[in-house]
Amino acid sequence: MNILEINNLRKVYNEGKIETKVTALKDINFKVKKGEFVAIMGESGSGKSTLLNLIATLDNPTSGEIILNNEEIKNKNDKEKARFRREKLGFVYQDFSLLNSLNIKDNIFLPLVLENTKYKEMEEKLNPIAKALKIDSLLYKFPYELSGGQKQRVAVARAIITNPEILLADEPTGALDSNSSMELLNIFEKINETGQTILMVTHSTMAAARASRVLFIKDGKIFYDLYKGEMTNEQMYEKLVKSQMIILAGGEGLE
Ligand SMILES: Nc1ncnc2c1ncn2[C@@H]1O[C@H](COP(=O)(O)OP(=O)(O)OP(=O)(O)O)[C@@H](O)[C@H]1O
């Protein structure tokens, strides 16, 4: 079953202003099946964040379709989009985006509070997640008291507590040291094994090697679509390094 379908997606910023017009995405087409862990790679400025923001319903495409969970996003008004984001999507950003005025528990509860969930139900949802992410001893601390890796695990807990259809991550390891990055990627793998669909934008070849599939964006299009299949993490890493070199050199000889 496809959880996401993107057809002829185009995004032009500042259309009509000759000096500042940017065609960030020309013609993007791909489908994501439920349970896939997809990484999106591409050079700086290739449109990765633009694509994620469109899927996240935070911006509108110039043309094309985004069908998420069998719903066409452009048919929704702002209020419906906000509700859709809260109910169907989970977000993890490079900068963690936690509120310093709330303790960890309340940060994680935030999306459920917005849905008027009962406190007991929130606690029941939190307990197994906090254990799995090893943040159960941090729940009464505040974000500024945590390390980067701990903050990112809290951000993941907040993103998955609503049981989202798709977890969207923009450079989730971007601000983490190598140990914390590994830990986070292990968590993503585990969450994915439970059936969670993940779409992750990353510059890190190491991070992308953990995904079950990697999409490369170039010249506003999906230039290469690589499935991990039976490859190990190490083999996928090698393959990604090689593929990136070939893509940089123009793309001829990609298999
Ligand atoms: N709000 C905006 N207004 C105008 N141009 C924008 C806007 N956001 C992005 N762009 C332009 O669109 C293009 C794609 O940007 P985007 O941030 O999606 O790339 P990216 O692949 O995520 O880059 P990076 O890896 O550096 O984060 C770039 O040329 C960028 O300057």
Side-chain angles (χ1 to χ4, degrees), residues 13-14 22 24 42-51 171 203:
Y13 290 109
N14 303 328
V22 179
E43 279 180 65
S44 183
S46 59
K48 303 180 295 296
S49 299
T50 298
L51 175 61
E171 292 286 0
H203 279 121

Side-chain angles (χ1 to χ4, degrees), residues 85-152:
R85 276 196 295 276
R86 283 204 307 272
E87 288 180 355
K88 311 283 186 199
L89 305 176
F91 298 93
V92 177
Y93 297 103
Q94 174 170 355
D95 66 0
F96 322 123
S97 300
L98 301 175
L99 296 178
N100 268 328
S101 54
L102 298 180
N103 71 21
I104 295 308
K105 194 172 186 174
D106 289 336
N107 262 286
I108 299 171
F109 281 168
L110 205 57
L112 296 177
V113 169
L114 295 171
E115 288 292 305
N116 296 319
T117 313
K118 293 204 171 69
Y119 196 80
K120 191 164 171 274
E121 197 183 319
M122 295 199 290
E123 293 260 325
E124 282 167 6
K125 284 179 193 265
L126 175 63
N127 289 338
I129 291 175
K131 273 210 184 76
L133 297 183
K134 299 199 190 91
I135 51 170
D136 38 351
S137 62
L138 305 175
L139 296 176
Y140 294 97
K141 292 190 181 246
F142 285 81
Y144 52 81
E145 298 177 283
L146 269 51
S147 71
Q150 290 171 330
K151 277 194 257 198
Q152 198 57 307

Side-chain angles (χ1 to χ4, degrees), residues 158-200:
R158 184 190 50 190
I160 61 173
I161 200 161
T162 54
N163 209 3
E165 292 293 340
I166 184 159
L167 177 64
L168 300 173
D170 198 352
E171 292 286 0
T173 60
L176 303 182
D177 61 35
S178 57
N179 277 341
S180 304
S181 294
M182 283 299 160
E183 220 166 294
L184 186 78
L185 293 167
N186 290 341
I187 286 168
F188 271 28
E189 253 178 18
K190 277 199 191 125
I191 296 172
N192 178 240
E193 278 163 18
T194 67
Q196 176 70 58
T197 312
I198 303 176
L199 201 63
M200 169 178 77

